[in-house]
Amino acid sequence: MDLPHAALLLAAGLAAGTVNAVAGGGSLITFPAMIAVGLPPVPANVSNSVAVFPGYVASVAGSWMDLPSRRVLARLVPTTVLGTIAGALLLLGTPARAFEVVVPFLVLGATAVLAFQDPLRRLVGHPRDLPPRRRTVTVQTMVALGSVYGGYFGAALGVMLVAGLALVLDATLARVSAIKNLLSAVVGLTTLVVFALFGPVNWAAVGVVAPATLLGGYVGARVVRRLPPVVLKTLIVVFGTVIGLHLLWRALV
C-alpha cells in the first residue's frame, strides 16, 4: 500500500468514526475508500466491517454515562450477537445484488421512522403505555432486525438502530444513542470474529483505518452529549436521507 492510499484510508477512518458516533453511516465513507484503493467489493465490505469496530468501542467509552443499567443491556446483547451472526453468514453465503436493492429502502424507512417518531408513537402507542411483555418483544425485534442488517452490510446501522429504539424505548435521544453505540460495538466485535475466521479480510487496510476510527469515535461521542436533542435528531435524519438516496442511486446505476 503506497502513501496516498494510506492517507486516504486514514482520513476516511477518522471521519467515519466521528460520523458513526454522531449519527451512524460512517461505513459509507470507509467502504468507498477501500474500493478506491483497489479492493474488490466483498473484501472491501468485510475489511470495512472489521476496521470500524474500534470506533464503536471508542463511542461506547465516550457515551458510557448515558447507558442504562446492566440488566437492561444484558437482555439486548445475546439478541445482537445472534442477529449479527445470521447477517454475517448471509453475506458470506448469498449473492449481494438482491440485498443491495433492498438496503436503500431499509435506510430511508428507518430515517422516516425517526423523522415522524411522534406521530408514529401516537399511532402505535407510547412505550410507557405498552404492556411489559409487548414492549420487551418489540425492543428485541428491533434489535434483532438491526443486528442482521449490521452483520450483512453495516452502513447506516446507527441510523437504523436509533430510529427503531427511539420508537420503542421511553428514553432520551442521548440515552438511545448510547445504547446504539454499545449495540454497534457488539455487532462490530461479532463480525470481526466471523470475518476474521471465514472472510477475505485485507489486514493492511484494517491496520490503517482501525486506529483512526478509534479516535474519531471517541470525539464524536463526546460531541453527541453536548448537542440539543432536536439538533441531534435533525443531523441523524438528514444524514440518513443522504445515505439512503446515495445507496439507492448506486443500486440502480
Side-chain angles (χ1 to χ4, degrees):
M1 183 180 299
D2 57 25
L3 186 58
H5 285 171
L8 174 61
L9 292 178
L10 189 66
L14 182 62
T18 305
V19 168
N20 276 338
V22 174
S27 289
L28 289 179
I29 301 172
T30 49
F31 177 68
M34 289 190 177
I35 294 289
V37 302
L39 294 184
V42 171
N45 190 21
V46 169
S47 302
N48 175 72
S49 295
V50 174
V52 297
F53 168 65
Y56 290 141
V57 175
S59 299
V60 174
S63 59
W64 189 259
M65 290 181 289
D66 292 316
L67 285 171
S69 67
R70 293 182 181 178
R71 186 174 63 179
V72 173
L73 298 175
R75 292 196 294 263
L76 300 179
V77 169
T79 303
T80 305
V81 172
L82 292 176
T84 304
I85 292 174
L89 294 178
L90 185 65
L91 171 65
L92 295 177
T94 62
R97 177 58 187 169
F99 200 77
E100 286 178 359
V101 175
V102 174
V103 164
F105 298 100
L106 293 177
V107 175
L108 291 172
T111 303
V113 168
L114 183 61
F116 299 102
Q117 174 186 333
D118 293 333
L120 286 172
R121 275 187 168 177
R122 288 193 292 270
L123 181 64
V124 303
H126 195 282
R128 72 170 68 98
D129 299 326
L130 296 177
R133 184 184 296 274
R134 181 180 173 187
R135 183 166 60 243
T136 299
V137 171
T138 304
V139 171
Q140 292 287 353
T141 301
M142 289 292 185
V143 171
L145 292 174
S147 301
V148 171
Y149 174 88
Y152 188 94
F153 186 55
L157 171 63
V159 175
M160 299 188 74
L161 285 177
V162 168
L165 293 175
L167 186 63
V168 299
L169 290 179
D170 184 18
T172 65
L173 199 55
R175 170 155 288 187
V176 169
S177 182
I179 297 172
K180 174 264 296 181
N181 289 340
L182 180 64
L183 297 184
S184 296
V186 174
V187 170
L189 177 59
T190 307
T191 54
L192 187 154
V193 172
V194 173
F195 292 152
L197 292 174
F198 305 109
V201 179
N202 186 299
W203 291 105
V206 171
V208 175
V209 173
T213 66
L214 188 66
L215 176 60
Y218 185 79
V219 171
R222 303 302 291 180
V223 169
V224 166
R225 299 193 74 247
R226 290 169 170 77
L227 288 177
V230 65
V231 174
L232 178 57
K233 183 176 179 179
T234 301
L235 283 174
I236 297 174
V237 168
V238 170
F239 199 78
T241 302
V242 172
I243 291 171
L245 293 176
H246 170 76
L247 288 173
L248 181 60
W249 175 81
R250 195 174 69 180
L252 297 178
V253 170

